[in-house]
Amino acid sequence: QVQVVESGGGLVQAGGSLRLSCAASGSIFSINAMGWYRQAPGKQRELVAAITSGGSTNYGDSVKGRFTIFRDKGKNSVYLHGDSLKPEDTAVYYCNTRGSDYVSYPLEYDYWGQGTQVTVSS
């Protein structure tokens, strides 16, 4: 089993900054990519940012230039830094880990955290 736990979030004023952390643990054999998704009320879950094991990054259009994703492979962790936050950034932010455990390898699965609320006040 692989567990994914997020931390950070909370209430932020518009124009402020965001710092989220995520760590994967358990019977991890390999991790292909880690990333952050978010879901606002009444909307579909969308990509915020993702990073592969090779360091390639991908950002959602709405956060490009404002958010940055980092990864610490040794700690199976990923971090999201956001600046110039807007009220429309308000959402539950979910950490995603795509990889395999010792049982499933080479099959890969998506493992999700339970989410952390980020609220940006205007």
Side-chain angles (χ1 to χ4, degrees), residues 71-93:
R71 180 174 173 179
D72 185 333
K73 294 175 65 176
K75 295 182 178 180
N76 291 328
S77 296
V78 66
Y79 310 91
L80 184 69
H81 291 183
D83 295 315
S84 303
L85 290 181
K86 306 173 183 179
E88 49 264 44
D89 292 318
T90 295
V92 178
Y93 284 68

Side-chain angles (χ1 to χ4, degrees), residues 12-68:
V12 182
Q13 287 191 334
S17 298
L18 168 71
R19 298 292 184 265
L20 300 180
S21 301
C22 170
S25 62
S27 56
I28 299 169
F29 182 82
S30 65
I31 294 178
N32 183 359
M34 298 185 76
W36 292 92
Y37 291 73
R38 68 186 183 187
Q39 188 167 18
K43 295 186 177 181
Q44 290 187 331
R45 190 172 296 189
E46 64 175 0
L47 170 71
V48 178
I51 185 168
T52 69
S53 58
S56 298
T57 57
N58 186 30
Y59 293 92
D61 289 340
S62 61
V63 304
K64 285 181 180 177
R66 299 188 299 121
F67 285 32
T68 304

